[in-house]
Amino acid sequence: MKKFRTTILAAAAMLALATPAALQAHRQWMLPSATVVSGDDVWVTIDAAVSNDLFYFEHQPLRGDPKVFAPDGTVLDVENKATGRYRTTFDVHLTQKGTYKVAVVSTGLMGSYMLNGERKPLPRGTTTATLANAIPAGATDVRTSESSSRNEVFITSGEPTTTVLKPTGVGIELVPVTHPNDLVAGETATFQFLLDGKPMANQAVTVIPGGIRYRDKLNQMDLKTDAQGNVKISWPEPGMYWLNVTTGGGREGGMGPGAQGAAPAAAPVGPAPRRANYVTTLEVLAP
């Protein structure tokens, strides 16, 4: 028995050493129990978490305020929401026919200012509307950075509709050329990505199939949008797929707007000019 345990521990250690760094990244996601349903009184349960493996609960629950956008455009609250150690769960009651969008959306403003010779951070929860009140009199060298995050999934009851697919013009959004509930293995889907309503040209798009825990390869697809923000995705097999688009935050643009006039040799400091993130889970069905 001792020899067996030693072998298992050694194998686990070797696996940990061989695990690619990408596998260790924390990813936020929502996973609906189904994305295409039928019937007049249907419920769908959604798990929401942040984890290394897709879609496996091993890190922390996804926090936030999920909203349900019904096919007629009305906004509904989720039902039976509960948050545990590793995941948040909630139900969506589908009483209308058509396509629903379930979304956790957040926007914020990060930054800092100088006061009496010290750099101080903006209070947590500061927004563009409250920025003026958050900065005390006498503050100088104010640096700010906007951030937006959108995590959403789509569910269709009966025939698909498009009302909830219209972009709002805030943050990164997916505009389906192919309906997100009409994805089939062996076929190619086209999506357009917008940032604040404008096409994201030459933007990296990451797609990873679920079930990472049970295979030794990530099977990640690294794609890019064209000049109009369109990306084509060929689905290799049925299953749930995680899709992510992120821009900003890496200070690749150099110093933030508040740093204008600083010495050119200085290292980038302060928040990045803008950070936006988009995540969705898409179900690909068998042909």
Side-chain angles (χ1 to χ4, degrees), residues 96-119:
Q96 299 179 24
K97 295 294 185 183
T99 298
Y100 293 70
K101 179 172 68 177
V102 182
V104 178
V105 179
S106 65
T107 59
L109 194 66
M110 300 177 293
S112 63
Y113 55 84
M114 291 296 293
L115 184 65
N116 300 324
E118 295 183 14
R119 179 157 294 281

Side-chain angles (χ1 to χ4, degrees), residues 50-138:
V50 180
S51 67
N52 293 319
D53 293 336
L54 297 169
F55 298 96
Y56 185 76
F57 319 110
E58 33 76 323
H59 183 55
Q60 65 182 36
L62 180 68
R63 304 186 187 280
D65 184 23
K67 296 291 185 185
V68 179
F69 296 85
D72 65 358
T74 57
V75 181
L76 312 174
D77 291 326
V78 301
E79 300 192 39
N80 305 320
K81 183 182 177 185
T83 298
R85 174 63 182 85
Y86 288 127
R87 63 173 171 172
T88 295
T89 65
F90 55 86
D91 298 329
V92 179
H93 192 186
L94 310 175
T95 58
Q96 299 179 24
K97 295 294 185 183
T99 298
Y100 293 70
K101 179 172 68 177
V102 182
V104 178
V105 179
S106 65
T107 59
L109 194 66
M110 300 177 293
S112 63
Y113 55 84
M114 291 296 293
L115 184 65
N116 300 324
E118 295 183 14
R119 179 157 294 281
K120 298 179 179 295
L122 290 175
R124 184 183 296 272
T126 300
T127 65
T128 303
T130 63
L131 177 61
N133 293 330
I135 301 175

Side-chain angles (χ1 to χ4, degrees), residues 182-203:
D182 186 22
L183 308 178
V184 179
E187 297 184 0
T188 299
T190 301
F191 302 133
Q192 183 187 36
F193 287 96
L194 307 179
L195 176 60
D196 297 336
K198 298 179 181 178
M200 300 183 73
N202 198 33
Q203 170 65 47

Side-chain angles (χ1 to χ4, degrees), residues 101 150 152 154 162 164-169 171-180 189-200 228-231 243 245 278 280:
K101 179 172 68 177
R150 184 182 300 274
E152 59 189 22
F154 305 95
T162 60
V164 301
L165 306 182
K166 296 176 181 176
T168 65
I172 299 177
E173 294 180 281
L174 181 153
V175 180
V177 178
T178 304
H179 196 284
T190 301
F191 302 133
Q192 183 187 36
F193 287 96
L194 307 179
L195 176 60
D196 297 336
K198 298 179 181 178
M200 300 183 73
Q228 288 72 46
N230 293 319
V231 63
L243 184 151
V245 176
Y278 179 88
T280 186

Side-chain angles (χ1 to χ4, degrees), residues 137-154:
T140 61
D141 193 18
V142 178
R143 300 172 179 175
T144 62
S145 171
E146 292 184 80
S147 65
S148 63
S149 175
R150 184 182 300 274
N151 188 337
E152 59 189 22
V153 295
F154 305 95

